[in-house]
Amino acid sequence: MLNAIWIVPAIPLLGAAILMISCGLLPPRMVGAIGVGSLALSAIIASIIGINFMLAPPPGNSFTIILWRWMTIGSFSPAAGVYLDPLSLVMMLVVTVVGFLILLYSSEFMRGDEGYNRFFAYMNLFVAAMLVLVLADNLLFLYVGWEGVGLCSYLLIGFWYQEPANGLAARKAFIVTRIGDTGLMIGLFLLFTQLGTLEIQPLMLRANQSWFSGSEIATLAAALLLIGAIGKSAQIPLQIWLPDAMAGPTPVSALIHAATMVTAGVYLIARTHVLLALAPSVQMAVAAIGAATLLVAAFAALNQHDIKRILAYSTISQIGYMFLALGVGAWSAAIFHFMVHAFFKALLFLAAGAITMRLHHEHNIFRMGGLARRLPVAFWSFLIGAASLAALPLVTAGFYSKEMILSAAWAGGGGIPILWTAGVVTAFVTSLYIFRAVFIVFFGEPKTEVSGHYDLRITLPLIVLSVLALTAGFVETPGGLGSITIFSKFMASVFGEPSITTGSAETLRLMIASLLSLAGIGLAYVLYMHPSQQFVAWADSPAILRWRQFLFAGWGFDRLYNGLIVQPFLYVTRINRNDVVDHLYQGIASASRLLHQLLHRSQTGRIRWYAGWLAAGSIVTIAVAVLR
């Protein structure tokens, strides 16, 4: 059965090809059947492969199949190959299962849109590209998927391209991520020239044998891969594209934030963790970037009005947790949180879409209110997702994955508690901002009329994701709560055996993190369910209002980049509207025309002049020869 793994990305790719070739001529029902059915079939095959892999692991707990050889140029012989191990298996299952649920939801959410066929073609291509990325056995093939998800994100963010702002958001995402892509591309050139291969497993082995820890070349290679990762995963300083990516349809946001695109950087670092371990300074930079990002994004989310932008900044923050785990060497913890995050973040986005589609596509949380009774399915779904995001102790999956990261941040932070502190402070702010949204949206006085209804295609994905957001965490629990290590032991062949920390100090830190999460929920209740006049006056005071506006603008990163990069570039383009380089070639062309005109005048048609010039030339030639 493992030999059929290539079918998993091939089916959605085939679905995308059929929908593109049909050029919108197929009826909507058939379009939905192809778009959703291809992902359903892919998810089923992926699940069967996953079960076979776990019940009868292949030798070495990994499996490789070469599909074809691209080219052979000397020692460079890249292949399109598929590599399956516990890491790529988890990624594949999350992408296909969550992708299927999102597309099933989309078949109702996008019903009636004039781009219905185009939407499913792009979404199928998006999933296929992500599957290529996570299953590739070499970095060149991985890069094909990497660029594929970048292209699809551009197409889907700007899906409603009739609005200029949507096209601008799509271009912004494409250009900003291209910065990271360029770093990754240079890193691939460096790795090949130094180690002679781009096949991931031989590459990691040669790096371990050829480079010593802390060597300059290992540090440079790891830093270049990190640049690629922070671009795709929207980490500081390249996080500015993700909030604007909300211009796309809500299912697009769910797919980008939960199962594809932004998790590509996390996967890249986890897949090349051997190289990262050879560059301790870069690894610490990964942890520092993650810690800074999770704090910055959490405070930005606390000041947003658009329900999707709240979730967008939340994604940036949660990816920061994954980077923090990667930076302290907690590879399994990062992938565990990736899996859990995919469930509760897809749930939150789809629940948000279920709200907005019933409120005439209203996104401002302050124009909602009183929806708990009027939209019970959306309410309970969003509440479960919010509880998991807030790491509500004991009963949510997010609690166990986040606790695993915080525990690793304390143990692997080099004796520096600042990483752990950043994590627990962000846990408090996360609870505060997400339950701020819960209390404002679902309680209080109604402000917008509810219309329409749902069918099973909306409710079923919400129910399934709700169950996963509650139960998926029980495959890995801390030392004081059963010491279950199913997930980390499954990952042991990739990342090594898990280390279990128990004791009173670990229990105390667990309690602190849990109490802070609960405190955030409690404070949100006090401030937003029954806000006091003193709090309202304080929040609207000039100094606090300026601070809130600063955070609302994402800490001013857009304004900074606009002043330092965008405007100077536009200024240069205005000055250079006619392109200075063109003047050089225009000068060559003008000189050629002038020479032609001079030579043209010598063509008089008079034989005596020709004979005279011939004689003069001969005399000059003879004189030069004699005088020499």
Side-chain angles (χ1 to χ4, degrees), residues 65 75 77 106 152 157 162 201 255 262 264 267 297 314 335 355-356 394 420 427 457 517 521 531 545 580 596:
I65 180 172
S75 61
S77 184
S106 302
C152 293
I157 292 169
Q162 297 86 350
Q201 302 311 311
L255 191 61
V262 294
Y267 173 76
S314 171
I335 301 304
I355 296 167
T356 58
L394 303 180
W420 179 83
R457 290 175 291 176
S517 294
I521 298 173
L545 196 57
V580 171
H596 169 75

Side-chain angles (χ1 to χ4, degrees), residues 1-7 49 63-65 67:
M1 187 63 189
L2 295 181
N3 287 313
I5 189 173
W6 63 272
I7 299 177
I49 290 173
F63 174 79
T64 304
I65 180 172
L67 303 179

